[in-house]
Amino acid sequence: MFPLTSRSYVDNSALSFPCLPNPAPSSELRSTIVRKILALRGPNLWARETVLECKVEFPELTDHVVNWRSWLLSWLPTLELQLSETSMTPQAEALAGLLQSITLHLQSRSDLQVSFGKVMPTSQPLTYRIITQFDDESVARAAFELARRLIDAALFGQTMDVNAAITELSELAQEVCLGPSTRAMVDAARLRGIPVLRLTEGSLVQLGWGSKQKKILAAATSQTSAISEDIVQDKDFTLRMLNEIGLPVPQGRPVKNADDAWAAANEIGLPVVVKPLDGNQGRGVALNLYTREQVATAYAAAREESRSVIVEQFAEGEDYRVLVIGRELIAVSRRYPAHVIGDGEHTIQELVAEKNRDPRRAADHAAALSRIRIDAVAMAVLAEQGVTPESIPEKDRMILIRRNANLSTGGTAVDCTTEVHPTICAAAVEAAQMVGLDICGLDMIAPDITQPLSARNGVIIELNARPGLRMHLYPSEGEPRPVGKAVIDTMFAPGCRGRIPIVAVTGVNGKTTTTRFIAHLLTQNQWRVGMTSTDGVFVGSRMIDSGDCSGPKSARSVLSYPLCDAAVLETARGGILREGLAFDHCDVAVVTNIGAGDHLGINDIDTPEQLAEVKQCIVAAVPADGTAVLNAADPLVVKMAETYPRKTIFFALDAENAIIVRHRIQGERAIYVRDGNIIRATGPNEDVFMPLSEIPLTHGGRIGFQVENTLAAVAAAWALGMEDDLIRQGARSFVPSLDQNAGRFNVLDLKGITVIVDYGHNVDALRALLDGLRQFDNARRIVVYSSAGDRRDSDIIEQGRMLSAEFDEAWLYEGDYVRGRESGEIMKLLATGLENAPRTRRVESILGHLKSVDLALESAQAGDLVMIQADTADETVQYLKEKYGAK
């Protein structure tokens, strides 16, 4: 692993990387091949951190390639330790380890705090997964690509300008990463445990979830008043407001043109300041002007920045930036204008270029300091001093490049917060409150800031909304101030972390029903509940998206919805593998089951054990004060509690389940069934919570998998501390109808035909469904069935075999979920399982789900049972309602 930098500004010019040739390798050698790159933007299979998962195939090196290690070392000397560790490692694995380490190292050189990485083998030869933590995704992708190019260049003996490539990467980081002000607030929020979600490529960031969220944009917050921002944009009006409450301000007035500016200067008295009436960041500001020519030049520069220009009295003294946050003065900096010191040898232009090589300087606001620019204003300032950019100033002579001391124009700042006199502190807070800004930067001129504020000691020259915070975070001298923390503390009350209750639900079967049931229970708390599921995204009773919405994108939409008081998120394996979790923590994690597994053979997830590792990501996301709700009857689910010890409520149908018994002996909570009642237990103490006969979803307790779903949902509400009466009220009112739980064991009567609609389409789901059907005594049974195409052939054939013992007719179809298979392939596999069926006498294969439904119902007679496996639950339900009057 490479040594990593702390959050300081790294000098990329400190190392030199020669461009050396390498003896030509074998012509058979090929470059590395990137098979896939995934950005896992939340907790994931590999880490709690955000990581890139890059699947890379490496070349098989021959004896002709002997110098690649030496050549990499010549480019990156810090690789020495890593290279020595790879000397005994298989070469492809060694290359994978280097690719991971170099990717991390390159990010750290761009001042990004990353440290986690690992290499994982895959089932394909010479192919590895490279896992590297990232702070900014685009920078990480660029760093990975540069690392890959470095390795290929070493293998192929290609020259490479490493310095230029690293500089380009650093410039990208400066362009796309959060600036110092926003980063300080984001870091402070994370320290408070407040979730952070960057909403744009700019600086708009959401802090907190749902109805508890707030937003920041640079140094503005959700609490920043638009009226206040408008007020301070008008500098003349702002100073008049401050003057009215007795605060010292300079005389001045707006001017119409250069002649009027000179007239105003004479009215006020020289020297004067000329600046835009509504400018910011010091652009177009000229100070200490004595002559008509100076005023005219300054007017032209200010006019380029604003349609209105103001001339005001120049105040003698030191230049200070005073930062007020809320009702408290947080930081004060003494500012110095951009300047250079002559050495008698170099021109001013050369001295500026040398100063701009300081790694703390960058364009705009990306670093602690800004680069010094020689523009029209700078040329005028130089002319006043009798020099040009080509002049060579004598040794130790200070040459001003600007007269204003803004950091954005190349100035520097020294912290002097502890020196400020209490009267000046009070005046600064009063000024900020007068205009109504929650974050206010005051520009003040004072001969001695340690002395009381008076007519001769201190004048407020300007108030700024969205002030830059970096001078207080990274002062040129003095102590950094915790300004990010101060902002967050004004936005969130003590103890508030901006969070709403989050319940994450995963498993193989029962996820959607359990998710819906929990969401329904939470509404009894008078919460507006956001829910994601395979059937859409809902907030309250309103659908805001349709289709399979069990991934992280849908979850983020709920967590960003400003009216959500709680979130219940169905969390599918695909989203976890593709993008990680949408949340950093969940209050309750519910795992319904793993069983024999589903979706196996995809993305190197070949066994139920590997699938369990993916699903348990939500258990890993449960904090110390949260709860995991786990199925005690499933060994792979039980193991999650051992892997990630959390407060756990186990559930099971059997009160004598060994895990339940042991858990209770340890004094922990469990929920189970005895004598037709739901029993809740804490240690040895049992509570008969309610009879199953009162819970419509369970069909009087006859449908075992719905009883399990009920136990999981009730346990989740119990874990959140809901009142028992409200939980019972919700359990009684959650009905397995086409409206409340569409496509999940809906029992309908269509002209004497018992129709059951269910979405399950894997082996475990079908087994549970068939067990439920045995509670019905219909003599003749018909099934409409299909499976998703991303199941293994053996799993689809097994489903056909299971159908063959239970149904007299089978109407096989293909719908929306062929997922890469050839037309008719799924039906053929199911039909293979139905061969030599002990019961099924008629098997039909139909292209089109709804057509197969019609044909099956035409074949049925009163008294028959028709089981419809819904291809798309919403579509199937709507069709049955409209054509057959189902309710």
Side-chain angles (χ1 to χ4, degrees):
M1 191 66 66
F2 286 97
L4 302 177
T5 63
S6 60
R7 181 162 289 282
S8 58
Y9 291 86
V10 181
D11 183 359
N12 285 336
S13 64
L15 295 174
S16 177
F17 306 103
C19 300
L20 300 177
N22 192 9
S26 166
S27 59
E28 297 178 359
L29 184 66
R30 57 168 176 75
S31 61
T32 56
I33 301 173
V34 179
R35 296 298 184 188
K36 182 187 295 185
I37 298 180
L38 296 174
L40 307 182
R41 302 179 181 93
N44 53 77
L45 182 60
W46 312 112
R48 299 285 303 146
E49 295 82 7
T50 54
V51 299
L52 281 188
E53 177 188 323
C54 307
K55 191 174 183 180
V56 183
E57 182 180 348
F58 292 91
E60 185 170 5
L61 304 185
T62 68
D63 293 338
H64 295 283
V65 187
V66 294
N67 291 330
W68 63 271
R69 287 182 171 86
S70 301
W71 257 239
L72 274 177
L73 184 59
S74 72
W75 287 331
L76 293 172
T78 47
L79 278 173
E80 184 172 3
L81 175 62
Q82 183 72 14
L83 281 168
S84 66
E85 292 175 348
T86 65
S87 59
M88 301 301 293
T89 305
Q91 289 187 328
E93 185 179 343
L95 291 175
L98 284 171
L99 181 53
Q100 174 257 307
S101 294
I102 296 172
T103 302
L104 278 180
H105 175 66
L106 292 173
Q107 291 181 83
S108 73
R109 287 179 61 83
S110 296
D111 191 40
L112 300 176
Q113 293 179 315
V114 292
S115 59
F116 174 79
K118 68 190 304 183
V119 173
M120 297 296 295
T122 70
S123 57
Q124 291 82 39
L126 302 175
T127 303
Y128 292 84
R129 280 191 171 86
I130 314 298
I131 314 298
T132 54
Q133 183 183 359
F134 71 80
D135 184 291
D136 181 272
E137 181 182 333
S138 58
V139 176
R141 287 178 180 271
F144 170 79
E145 177 58 23
L146 175 53
R148 188 190 66 80
R149 286 168 50 209
L150 277 167
I151 289 175
D152 275 353
L155 294 176
F156 282 87
Q158 298 168 341
T159 59
M160 186 171 181
D161 189 341
V162 183
N163 269 329
I166 290 179
T167 297
E168 184 179 347
L169 182 67
S170 296
E171 289 174 348
L172 173 66
Q174 292 170 3
E175 178 183 348
V176 302
C177 292
L178 292 174
S181 297
T182 309
R183 167 64 71 178
M185 291 184 279
V186 164
D187 288 347
R190 286 182 170 140
L191 283 174
R192 283 269 305 262
I194 298 167
V196 174
L197 179 63
R198 189 173 180 181
L199 299 175
T200 66
E201 293 181 357
S203 297
L204 182 61
V205 178
Q206 177 183 314
L207 305 177
W209 300 136
S211 59
K212 301 293 182 65
Q213 69 175 276
K214 297 181 185 296
K215 293 182 177 69
I216 55 174
L217 178 62
T221 76
S222 303
Q223 299 166 183
T224 301
S225 164
I227 294 176
S228 299
E229 287 194 337
D230 282 348
I231 289 173
V232 299
Q233 282 292 309
D234 188 331
K235 300 184 185 304
D236 179 55
F237 178 63
T238 300
L239 294 182
R240 283 191 278 121
M241 288 184 69
L242 300 185
N243 185 55
E244 288 176 2
I245 61 172
L247 296 177
V249 297
Q251 298 180 37
R253 69 172 176 84
V255 296
K256 300 176 182 177
N257 50 46
D259 291 336
D260 191 28
W262 178 242
N266 284 284
E267 294 167 13
I268 296 166
L270 299 169
V272 294
V273 175
V274 175
K275 61 186 181 182
L277 185 65
D278 55 358
N280 54 42
Q281 299 176 354
R283 290 194 293 264
V285 177
L287 310 175
N288 202 17
L289 308 177
Y290 281 90
T291 69
R292 183 168 192 154
E293 182 180 1
Q294 289 174 332
V295 170
T297 301
Y299 176 85
R303 189 66 177 77
E304 290 182 2
E305 300 293 335
S306 172
R307 298 177 62 183
S308 302
V309 176
I310 187 172
V311 175
E312 66 184 26
Q313 178 185 14
F314 176 74
E316 295 285 350
E318 300 275 11
D319 186 315
Y320 294 94
R321 165 56 64 86
V322 180
L323 180 67
V324 174
I325 299 176
R327 295 176 177 268
E328 185 178 356
L329 185 145
I330 298 299
V332 180
S333 293
R334 185 183 293 113
R335 302 187 296 180
Y336 297 97
H339 66 277
V340 294
I341 304 295
D343 61 4
E345 297 181 6
H346 295 90
T347 66
I348 293 171
Q349 183 82 55
E350 291 170 337
L351 292 171
V352 168
E354 177 62 27
K355 208 158 191 176
N356 281 339
R357 276 192 280 272
D358 183 339
R360 295 176 300 168
R361 292 189 183 273
D364 300 319
H365 308 278
L369 300 171
S370 294
R371 294 194 181 113
I372 300 172
R373 296 171 295 165
I374 298 182
D375 53 14
V377 173
M379 294 293 290
V381 172
L382 292 175
E384 294 167 13
Q385 300 167 86
V387 295
T388 70
E390 290 72 36
S391 299
I392 300 177
E394 56 270 25
K395 186 176 175 56
D396 297 329
R397 179 184 175 186
M398 177 186 284
I399 300 295
L400 294 178
I401 309 300
R402 305 292 274 234
R403 293 197 178 278
N404 67 303
N406 296 69
L407 261 68
S408 57
T409 57
T412 55
V414 175
D415 180 75
C416 55
T417 306
T418 58
E419 302 173 20
V420 183
H421 194 275
T423 58
I424 294 178
C425 292
V429 172
E430 190 175 353
Q433 290 296 306
M434 182 65 185
V435 297
L437 282 175
D438 60 327
I439 304 175
C440 181
L442 293 88
D443 293 336
M444 176 177 282
I445 303 295
D448 189 351
I449 205 166
T450 67
Q451 298 301 308
L453 183 66
S454 67
R456 296 188 176 183
N457 186 47
V459 58
I460 299 172
I461 61 172
E462 189 169 302
L463 301 187
N464 298 276
R466 307 189 187 195
L469 305 180
R470 58 183 174 149
M471 73 180 72
H472 310 298
L473 297 164
Y474 310 109
S476 305
E477 298 177 31
E479 181 182 348
R481 299 292 164 177
V483 293
K485 178 180 182 301
V487 173
I488 297 302
D489 288 348
T490 64
M491 298 176 70
F492 295 91
C496 176
R497 298 189 299 159
R499 294 181 179 273
I500 61 174
I502 296 177
V503 180
V505 181
T506 196
V508 170
N509 296 308
K511 298 187 300 295
T512 301
T513 295
T514 303
T515 298
R516 288 170 170 170
F517 201 167
I518 295 170
H520 178 76
L521 294 178
L522 299 192
T523 61
Q524 311 305 305
N525 256 347
Q526 302 303 309
W527 285 339
R528 187 188 295 263
V529 180
M531 180 187 74
T532 64
S533 72
T534 53
D535 290 332
V537 179
F538 298 81
V539 177
S541 59
R542 188 168 76 88
M543 175 184 281
I544 63 176
D545 199 1
S546 60
D548 187 345
C549 297
S550 57
K553 180 181 177 181
S554 300
R556 281 193 294 271
S557 71
V558 164
L559 296 173
S560 297
Y561 198 91
L563 299 180
C564 274
D565 302 311
V568 186
L569 309 173
E570 182 177 340
T571 308
R573 54 166 290 286
I576 299 174
L577 290 171
R578 183 176 62 252
E579 202 173 336
L581 299 177
F583 45 85
D584 55 345
H585 298 304
C586 57
D587 299 271
V588 179
V590 179
V591 185
T592 58
N593 46 59
I594 299 295
D598 194 20
H599 296 282
L600 299 180
I602 305 171
N603 294 324
D604 286 336
I605 305 299
D606 299 314
T607 67
E609 289 76 14
Q610 291 173 326
L611 180 61
E613 289 183 19
V614 177
K615 300 283 188 179
Q616 71 186 8
C617 284
I618 69 166
V619 179
V622 175
D625 57 350
T627 305
V629 174
L630 305 177
N631 187 342
D634 191 317
L636 291 176
V637 177
V638 171
K639 189 177 179 182
M640 296 178 187
E642 301 168 2
T643 306
Y644 296 102
R646 301 287 190 271
K647 289 193 297 184
T648 301
I649 299 176
F650 278 114
F651 68 91
L653 296 177
D654 181 8
E656 304 307 316
N657 175 285
I659 300 300
I660 295 282
V661 172
R662 184 182 68 188
H663 200 56
R664 291 182 60 197
I665 290 173
Q666 295 169 346
E668 302 296 336
R669 292 187 289 178
I671 185 168
Y672 43 87
V673 175
R674 182 187 290 131
D675 299 329
N677 295 305
I678 292 178
I679 309 294
R680 296 190 319 188
T682 302
N685 300 315
E686 290 187 328
D687 166 36
V688 178
F689 185 68
M690 66 185 304
L692 290 172
S693 60
E694 295 182 8
I695 303 175
L697 181 68
T698 69
H699 295 272
R702 293 182 299 156
I703 309 303
F705 67 86
Q706 295 291 41
V707 175
E708 286 189 310
N709 294 336
T710 298
L711 294 175
V714 170
W718 184 22
L720 287 176
M722 275 188 64
E723 294 180 11
D724 291 350
D725 286 345
L726 292 179
I727 299 175
R728 294 186 185 99
Q729 177 179 302
R732 294 186 185 104
S733 56
F734 186 68
V735 180
S737 64
L738 296 182
D739 293 324
Q740 268 194 310
N741 198 30
R744 269 69 185 180
F745 208 84
N746 306 129
V747 181
L748 314 174
D749 186 336
L750 299 184
K751 298 181 179 179
I753 302 169
T754 300
V755 176
I756 295 177
V757 183
D758 196 87
Y759 181 71
H761 44 244
N762 60 58
V763 171
D764 280 344
L766 182 56
R767 183 175 294 113
L769 182 59
L770 295 178
D771 184 63
L773 292 182
R774 294 186 185 105
Q775 308 301 316
F776 296 80
D777 56 5
N778 306 74
R780 185 166 177 266
R781 299 188 174 197
I782 300 171
V783 65
V784 177
Y785 199 83
S786 186
S787 182
D790 55 0
R791 272 61 175 176
R792 296 174 299 186
D793 288 1
S794 58
D795 292 332
I796 299 176
I797 293 171
E798 173 62 15
Q799 291 173 67
R801 189 196 64 76
M802 295 168 68
L803 296 174
S804 70
E806 302 290 338
F807 294 96
D808 300 282
E809 292 183 13
W811 295 81
L812 308 179
Y813 72 90
E814 282 185 0
D816 293 339
Y817 294 96
V818 292
R819 294 176 178 171
R821 288 189 179 269
E822 296 294 328
S823 177
E825 186 178 355
I826 295 173
M827 293 185 292
K828 288 178 182 178
L829 290 170
L830 288 170
T832 299
L834 281 158
E835 289 177 359
N836 303 314
R839 177 169 179 174
T840 310
R841 292 292 174 263
R842 182 180 185 184
V843 178
E844 302 284 352
S845 296
I846 306 297
L847 286 175
H849 174 231
L850 298 181
K851 183 178 179 181
S852 66
V853 169
D854 287 338
L855 291 172
L857 290 176
E858 287 176 11
S859 175
Q861 302 173 5
D864 290 351
L865 181 147
V866 177
M867 199 277 280
I868 299 174
Q869 186 271 325
D871 180 47
T872 303
D874 287 342
E875 180 185 27
T876 304
V877 165
Q878 191 62 32
Y879 186 73
L880 291 174
K881 284 181 176 180
E882 292 177 355
K883 183 167 183 177
Y884 295 98
K887 295 181 181 179

